[in-house]
Amino acid sequence: MTVTSDDTAGMSPLVARLAQAGQRLRQADRARPWVLDTAVVVVIFLMFCLPDLRDGDHDRHDIALRFTRPPVAGMLALQVGLVLPLLWRRRKPSVAFAVIAAVFLLQWSLGVALRADVALLVALYSLTLHGELRRLPWACAAMAGGLALVAVGVSSVVSVWDALFFLFSTAIAAVAVGLAVRIRRAQLAGLRERAARLEIERDQRSKLATATERTRVAREMHDIVGHNLAVMVTLADAGTYASDIAPDRSKEALQLIGDTGRQALGELRRMLGVLREEADAPAFRPQPGISDIDALCNRIRAAGPDIAYRTGGDVEVLDSGVQLTVYRIVQEALTNSLKHAGADTRVRLALTKEGTRLHIRVQDTGPPGGPIRAGSPHEEGHGLVGMRERAALYGGSVVAGPGPGAGWTVQAALDLAPLPAAEGGTP
């Protein structure tokens, strides 16, 4: 885990410097692990091996006089056997401990006492920290046997029980420190893994939110541009036809085209204004709702179709989100009737609220004398998919199909019941 300036912002200067120094040491150890292993061996040799090599018989302690002092070459060989395996104490801790324990038992069986025996505690600590925990009980058993041999060897000077208490305490301390460091490292690794997982999840949520927003914008663009362009194209065709025989109707068609275009621009500005991040973004009129369906029908009627619109139940007090969904579904259905059935079709539009269900029905008679349109799921466009996605937000569904005759019918049902409160949450 990298220590950054943000991590040390709340620390005292001394703690911050120590944390950064520790981070640099860990990075150096990961780059060259052999340096630390060699340093451990050198330090133990200087602190515990050299004093035994330099001590003569005249300055040895009383307890040391009761043990055999081997020749310098033999003592050096035992010290090398105890200390040198520490070079691979992290790579192969079980092997290092086994070799050191064997040399330790050989040394005490010969009646030799060395300060370098501290290497056995270092090896036990390293096995606890780096090795497989299933081998730790066997190592502790071997350690207990070796320490019992030592306690017996010093029984002439120190009580066996006192010796066992001291020796076992040092061994338990080595194991305890190794377990504590191992648990701490496991916790840090778990925290790093969790942080990485949360970062990935955050990126995924951001991507999903971006994809959802793109889908929403694309759906709104389709509804706004597709509807208004269909009306404008129909009005333009009608104005071109009426320019020679009824100039007044042609002028009226041009005015309706201008009104429709201005309305489309207004809706586009409103939709794109939501995406702006400036605090001084202008306020646009609210999202269209059920009260705007009358104006929608009037624009479609201006293009030619005959629309009969009725409502049943109290539909004006519905939630603004539901009203926008209803408006877009009706807009898409009327636009499809205008595009596919032509300007001479008759449309029946009905909104009915029954309890917690809102039903939408848009039915056209098709083109006069035209062929019956066959419904096929492979011919579904983005409009029908968008209607179904909007209805699904309120637990509803949309069904579209031919009939009666050459006409086409779109039926939608929305669930207006509120979602149940989560268990234990606020009702």
Side-chain angles (χ1 to χ4, degrees):
M1 176 181 288
T2 303
V3 179
T4 62
S5 58
D6 294 336
D7 298 328
T8 60
M11 301 180 182
S12 65
L14 177 60
V15 175
R17 286 194 293 269
L18 290 176
Q20 293 175 353
Q23 173 65 18
R24 287 193 292 268
L25 287 176
R26 286 190 292 270
Q27 291 177 348
D29 183 48
R30 284 193 293 267
R32 297 178 178 85
W34 58 269
V35 174
L36 179 60
D37 295 334
T38 304
V40 170
V41 172
V42 171
V43 169
I44 292 178
F45 181 81
L46 294 177
M47 292 182 62
F48 299 99
C49 296
L50 280 184
D52 281 337
L53 293 174
R54 295 176 57 185
D55 284 348
D57 292 339
H58 62 280
D59 58 358
R60 296 174 65 194
H61 298 291
D62 292 339
I63 189 173
L65 292 173
R66 299 180 179 273
F67 296 97
T68 303
R69 178 177 176 83
V72 175
M75 182 181 297
L76 185 61
L78 291 175
Q79 290 176 343
V80 170
L82 289 170
V83 176
L84 192 61
L86 293 178
L87 287 174
W88 61 87
R89 65 184 181 87
R90 291 190 292 180
R91 289 170 293 175
K92 297 180 180 181
S94 299
V95 175
F97 178 82
V99 173
I100 294 175
V103 175
F104 178 83
L105 293 175
L106 174 62
Q107 165 209 324
W108 280 94
S109 65
L110 296 175
V112 178
L114 297 175
R115 295 184 177 93
D117 290 340
V118 72
L120 185 63
L121 296 176
V122 178
L124 181 62
Y125 163 81
S126 300
L127 175 62
T128 307
L129 178 59
H130 304 289
E132 300 178 4
L133 291 180
R134 61 185 178 86
R135 297 182 179 178
L136 184 59
W138 299 101
C140 291
M143 186 76 173
L147 295 182
L149 181 62
V150 175
V152 172
V154 298
S155 60
S156 60
V157 179
V158 182
S159 169
V160 174
W161 297 110
D162 292 341
L164 287 176
F165 175 79
F166 174 76
L167 295 173
F168 282 2
S169 296
T170 56
I172 292 173
V175 174
V177 173
L179 288 176
V181 176
R182 185 175 188 136
I183 293 172
R184 178 60 176 168
R185 290 184 178 179
Q187 290 175 341
L188 292 177
L191 290 175
R192 285 193 293 267
E193 181 182 356
R194 183 172 181 269
R197 185 170 63 251
L198 290 176
E199 185 176 355
I200 294 174
E201 291 177 356
R202 182 198 62 190
D203 294 340
Q204 290 176 342
R205 284 195 299 268
S206 177
K207 292 179 181 179
L208 288 175
T210 301
T212 302
E213 183 64 16
R214 288 177 178 174
T215 302
R216 186 189 70 82
V217 172
R219 186 167 58 232
E220 293 288 337
M221 291 284 288
H222 174 271
D223 292 341
I224 296 171
V225 177
H227 164 74
N228 289 286
L229 282 180
V231 174
M232 292 169 68
V233 168
T234 303
L235 289 173
D237 292 340
T240 301
Y241 175 76
S243 61
D244 296 331
I245 59 177
D248 294 339
R249 296 300 301 273
S250 176
K251 182 179 179 180
E252 181 182 357
L254 292 176
Q255 291 176 346
L256 291 173
I257 290 174
D259 294 340
T260 303
R262 281 189 289 273
Q263 181 188 3
L265 287 176
E267 291 190 10
L268 287 174
R269 290 194 187 99
R270 172 190 50 74
M271 183 192 68
L272 297 177
V274 176
L275 304 179
R276 295 179 59 181
E277 297 181 356
E278 291 81 5
D280 57 348
F284 300 100
R285 70 183 186 89
Q287 295 269 22
I290 292 178
S291 60
D292 299 298
I293 292 181
D294 283 322
L296 174 64
C297 292
N298 290 332
R299 290 197 301 271
I300 298 294
R301 290 191 188 101
D306 177 22
I307 300 177
Y309 170 45
R310 67 178 181 84
T311 61
D314 194 5
V315 297
E316 299 290 342
V317 297
L318 295 176
D319 179 77
S320 59
V322 177
Q323 293 201 32
L324 175 62
T325 297
V326 172
Y327 181 89
R328 292 304 187 198
I329 291 176
V330 171
Q331 182 185 52
E332 181 63 31
L334 293 178
T335 302
N336 288 339
S337 295
L338 178 62
K339 289 193 297 185
H340 297 292
D344 297 326
T345 188
R346 293 191 302 276
V347 183
R348 299 296 177 261
L349 168 61
L351 301 181
T352 307
K353 182 176 180 294
E354 299 177 352
T356 60
R357 302 287 291 181
L358 178 65
H359 298 277
I360 307 169
R361 182 181 177 88
V362 182
Q363 178 181 326
D364 65 62
T365 59
I372 298 177
R373 289 183 291 178
S376 172
H378 300 289
E379 298 174 358
E380 294 181 357
H382 296 287
L384 184 56
V385 174
M387 285 192 287
R388 287 176 174 162
E389 289 178 351
R390 290 182 181 277
L393 294 176
Y394 294 93
S397 60
V398 175
V399 178
W408 194 264
T409 301
V410 175
Q411 298 183 85
L414 305 181
D415 187 2
L416 306 180
L419 295 175
E423 295 184 4
T426 302

